């Protein structure tokens, strides 16, 4: 059931300074008809997660200067709180920051004494970033008479134990979210990025995971919209840091946005779209610093959008990836040979991004290097295997990618620029086309294709 509520998410740059947080507050306070903001999900202040990781690493190495970094991080949060707050709000928040940093200090001291940290330890350390920013925003809103409460997402997002990139248990999570929001009707300020196992260990959802947290909460509540507020005015035709002529795409289908996010468009965490798509909740991507811009709306199904969109909408790439080529005469016979190969990848929990096949061979790309040696050892029992590193996957999305002649023109243009292409694959409903190039050619390929298809 759709309810008259929405969930907002503010990223690291939006939470990055007192000035930015003031802007965040003005967006939260802005009336939006009869739609109430039920939850605001926040990232850590810009750069803080990276600093926390560095601190844990340095603490585990001998005589490393992590203490200075910890003090600097504490000062950054104190300064922000002081700039935003006064009176008892300030006093209380500074006490909370002090409490969190003394706790963090003791955790990091443990790491430094042990000279090591586990993935579970790192997730716990990383969780401080979102806890700090969410406390500061809660206090700043309360100080402006916006009634709200701090909510540590540990209480509502239930995951497995894959620390660093935990998988969400949607059954338990949806139940916990609904139960919590039933009891707490006022605005909840939720820590993005973090969750917990059923026995209470803190986990994280993968770097950039606060987008995913917002989608999980919005979908569970049957919200009218999930708004991802960031530092660009929507999903763009290409990464604006690489292609200066990139422009905002006003509308995308869930499927198109999911492909873009999966194949490297950092503006959305790859898993964000799935919960929203399952429940049909529209996702908007908006700019905190230009709130009047219309942004990108991700909504209709691809089949519907395609009726009025016949262009290549956006391009992205993911790198580095490695390509594994497997060949064997056994492919001729079928007999579940392909299934046996995929089982090996599954056994090592290594996901495959692109697959191409011929009569006697299959090629796949993977991003995760961790188990490649073991996988290759297993596959070598079935056929000849070779591995090529330093590759990139280019992905184009839009109703036009499988139009007559588009693929041909794409590869001709790349050929003219001496960019070799391999492993071409088209998604069956025509949402996307992916292919593999050398990592060193990826940026050039992106620029060339953007010029040809999007700038016109
Ligand atoms: P936040 O901290 O708000 O989550 P991120 O840095 O994670 O922000 O994501 C926003 C950034 O994503 C933009 O500043 C931009 O540099 C980058 N980006 C990469 N690809 C795209 C794209 N196709 N459209 C928009 N932004 C993109
Ligand atoms: N703070 C986390 C990160 O930097 C999560 C997020 O920003 O979405 O990865
Ligand atoms: Mg992000």
């Amino acid at each position: 059931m759709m309810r008259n509520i929405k969930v907002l998410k503010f990223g690291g740059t939006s939470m990055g300074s007192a000035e930015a947080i003031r802007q965040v507050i003005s967006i939260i306070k802005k009336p939006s008809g009869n739609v109430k903001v039920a939850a605001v999900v926040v990232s850590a202040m810009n750069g803080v997660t990276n600093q926390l990781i560095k601190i844990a690493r340095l603490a585990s190495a001998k005589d490393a200067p992590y203490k200075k970094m910890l003090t600097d991080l504490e000062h950054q949060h104190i300064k922000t709180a002081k700039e935003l707050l006064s009176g008892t709000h300030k006093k209380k928040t500074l006490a909370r920051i002090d409490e969190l940093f003394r706790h963090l200090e003791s955790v990091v001291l443990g790491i430094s004494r042990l000279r090591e940290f586990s993935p579970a330890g790192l997730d716990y350390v990383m969780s401080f970033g979102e806890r700090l920013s969410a406390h500061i925003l809660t206090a700043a809103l309360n100080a402006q008479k916006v009634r709200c409460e701090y909510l540590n997402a540990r209480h509502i997002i239930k995951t497995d134990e894959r620390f660093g990139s935990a998988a969400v248990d949607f059954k338990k999570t949806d139940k916990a979210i609904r139960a919590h929001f039933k009891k707490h009707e006022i605005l909840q300020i939720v820590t993005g990025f973090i969750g917990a196992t059923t026995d209470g260990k803190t986990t994280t959802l993968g770097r950039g995971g606060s987008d995913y947290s917002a989608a999980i909460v919005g979908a569970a509540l049957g919200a009218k919209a999930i708004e991802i507020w960031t530092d660009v005015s929507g999903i763009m035709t290409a990464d604006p840091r690489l292609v200066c002529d990139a422009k905002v795409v006003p509308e995308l289908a869930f499927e198109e946005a999911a492909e873009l996010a999966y194949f490297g468009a950092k503006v959305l965490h790859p898993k964000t779209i799935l919960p929203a798509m399952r429940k049909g909740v529209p996702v908007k991507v908006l700019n905190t610093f230009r709130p009047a811009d219309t942004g990108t709306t991700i909504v209709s199904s691809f089949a519907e959008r395609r009726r009025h969109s016949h262009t290549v909408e956006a391009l992205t790439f993911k790198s580095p990836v490695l390509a594994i080529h497997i060949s064997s005469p056994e492919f001729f016979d079928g007999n579940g040979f392909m299934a046996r190969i995929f089982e090996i990848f599954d056994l090592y929990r290594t996901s495959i991004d692109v697959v191409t096949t011929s009569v006697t061979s299959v090629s796949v790309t993977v991003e995760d290097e961790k188990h490649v040696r073991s996988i290759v050892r297993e596959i070598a029992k079935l056929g000849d295997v070779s591995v090529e590193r330093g590759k990139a996957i280019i992905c184009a999305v839009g109703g036009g990618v499988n139009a007559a002649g588009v693929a041909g023109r794409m590869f001709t243009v790349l050929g003219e620029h001496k960019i070799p292409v391999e492993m071409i694959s088209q998604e069956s409903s025509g949402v996307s086309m992916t292919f593999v190039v050398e990592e060193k050619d990826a940026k050039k390929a992106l620029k060339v294709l953007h010029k040809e298809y999007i700038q016109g």
Side-chain angles (χ1 to χ4, degrees):
M1 192 186 66
M2 283 279 177
R3 294 170 55 202
N4 263 350
I5 55 166
K6 61 181 179 177
V7 172
L8 317 185
K9 178 259 168 176
F10 293 92
T13 320
S14 309
M15 295 297 293
S17 64
E19 201 189 335
I21 295 175
R22 280 195 201 101
Q23 183 66 21
V24 165
I25 294 172
S26 76
I27 292 166
I28 298 171
K29 282 170 83 174
K30 193 167 178 269
S32 50
N34 58 352
V35 182
K36 190 179 122 191
V37 181
V40 170
V41 176
V42 295
S43 290
M45 294 179 80
N46 200 17
V48 167
T49 310
N50 286 346
Q51 293 294 95
L52 289 167
I53 297 170
K54 254 193 215 157
I55 288 170
R57 290 221 172 102
L58 288 175
S60 71
K62 221 169 173 308
D63 299 329
Y66 73 88
K67 283 190 184 142
K68 162 94 171 60
M69 284 176 69
L70 208 51
T71 315
D72 288 349
L73 209 57
E74 183 171 0
H75 285 155
Q76 179 187 350
H77 287 91
I78 292 174
K79 179 173 173 277
T80 310
K82 281 185 174 166
E83 280 172 26
L84 285 166
L85 301 161
S86 59
T88 51
H89 291 291
K90 182 164 103 183
K91 211 171 141 201
K92 269 196 199 160
T93 308
L94 292 179
R96 180 54 52 80
I97 293 173
D98 183 62
E99 194 185 309
L100 282 166
F101 271 94
R102 299 300 69 83
H103 186 166
L104 176 58
E105 220 167 52
S106 69
V107 175
V108 177
L109 186 65
I111 291 176
S112 123
R113 289 206 171 126
L114 287 171
R115 295 268 178 256
E116 66 173 15
F117 60 91
S118 61
L122 184 60
D123 273 8
Y124 192 63
V125 168
M126 285 197 286
S127 77
F128 279 84
E130 270 69 13
R131 287 156 68 192
L132 285 157
S133 64
H135 273 302
I136 293 174
L137 179 64
T138 309
L141 282 162
N142 277 325
Q144 294 205 20
K145 307 257 177 305
V146 178
R147 285 183 66 229
C148 63
E149 284 172 352
Y150 167 86
L151 169 59
N152 190 328
R154 284 173 38 81
H155 301 300
I156 52 168
I157 295 187
K158 305 292 171 191
T159 73
D160 68 3
E161 288 210 2
R162 268 178 257 180
F163 297 102
S165 185
V168 173
D169 179 332
F170 277 94
K171 217 167 152 195
K172 288 191 184 133
T173 299
D174 286 359
K175 203 168 149 203
I177 291 173
R178 287 188 202 120
H180 179 89
F181 280 81
K182 208 167 173 188
K183 272 200 247 144
H184 300 257
E185 289 207 332
I186 65 169
L187 170 62
Q188 301 293 297
I189 309 299
V190 189
T191 57
F193 184 46
I194 60 183
T197 60
T198 25
D199 60 348
K201 290 183 197 128
T202 297
T203 52
T204 61
L205 306 179
R207 293 305 308 272
S210 302
D211 303 324
Y212 188 33
S213 310
I216 295 165
V217 175
L221 294 176
K224 266 224 157 106
I226 296 159
E227 294 179 0
I228 307 289
W229 290 85
T230 182
D231 56 6
V232 282
S233 292
I235 298 183
M236 305 180 79
T237 49
D239 184 341
R241 289 166 302 182
L242 301 175
V243 178
C244 54
D245 293 304
K247 48 184 197 261
V248 172
V249 184
E251 189 193 89
L252 278 173
F254 282 126
E255 295 92 327
E256 291 169 306
E259 295 273 324
L260 282 178
Y262 188 79
F263 286 114
K266 191 196 167 207
V267 63
L268 282 183
H269 182 271
K271 293 183 188 162
T272 311
I273 296 300
L274 206 64
M277 189 169 162
R278 272 196 212 122
K279 301 278 167 68
V281 182
V283 177
K284 284 190 166 207
V285 180
L286 296 151
N287 190 341
T288 303
F289 307 99
R290 293 178 64 115
D293 288 1
T294 45
T296 302
T297 305
I298 308 162
V299 64
S300 56
S301 77
F302 179 66
E304 207 174 297
R305 238 181 65 71
R306 198 167 182 188
R307 278 189 236 133
H308 57 93
S309 158
H310 307 286
T311 51
V312 176
E313 298 284 357
L315 295 153
T316 181
F317 75 84
K318 176 168 167 172
S319 72
V321 297
L322 45 87
I324 303 175
H325 308 289
I326 307 140
S327 65
S328 163
E330 292 226 23
F331 275 113
F332 276 127
D333 293 338
N335 289 337
F337 189 74
M338 194 82 98
R340 266 153 61 210
I341 288 177
F342 289 150
E343 265 165 27
I344 295 169
F345 283 91
D346 200 40
L347 191 72
Y348 288 97
R349 288 190 164 171
T350 300
S351 55
I352 293 171
D353 290 332
V354 180
V355 185
T356 53
T357 56
S358 77
V359 181
T360 56
S361 69
V362 58
S363 296
V364 302
T365 66
V366 299
E367 189 184 13
D368 188 358
E369 171 93 36
K370 204 158 120 208
H371 300 295
V372 167
R373 280 176 71 169
S374 313
I375 290 171
V376 167
R377 205 184 324 115
E378 292 292 321
I379 295 179
K381 295 175 191 161
L382 305 173
D384 294 332
V385 199
S386 64
V387 178
E388 286 184 284
R389 290 186 163 72
K391 302 279 179 182
I393 303 168
I394 307 245
C395 172
V397 305
V401 292
N402 70 348
V406 169
R409 208 170 108 218
M410 253 188 203
F411 300 125
T412 307
V413 173
L414 291 171
E416 280 163 10
H417 286 83
K418 309 248 174 313
I419 300 173
V421 173
E422 55 182 321
M423 293 183 68
I424 300 159
S425 128
Q426 197 156 39
E427 197 275 332
S428 64
S429 58
V431 173
S432 69
M433 170 140 63
T434 51
F435 52 88
V436 172
V437 298
E438 293 295 327
E439 191 185 3
K440 65 175 174 43
D441 292 332
K443 285 182 192 163
K444 189 171 165 198
L446 192 80
K447 284 183 188 162
V448 164
L449 294 176
H450 193 272
K451 193 154 184 234
E452 181 75 14
Y453 283 96
I454 295 166
Q455 277 152 254

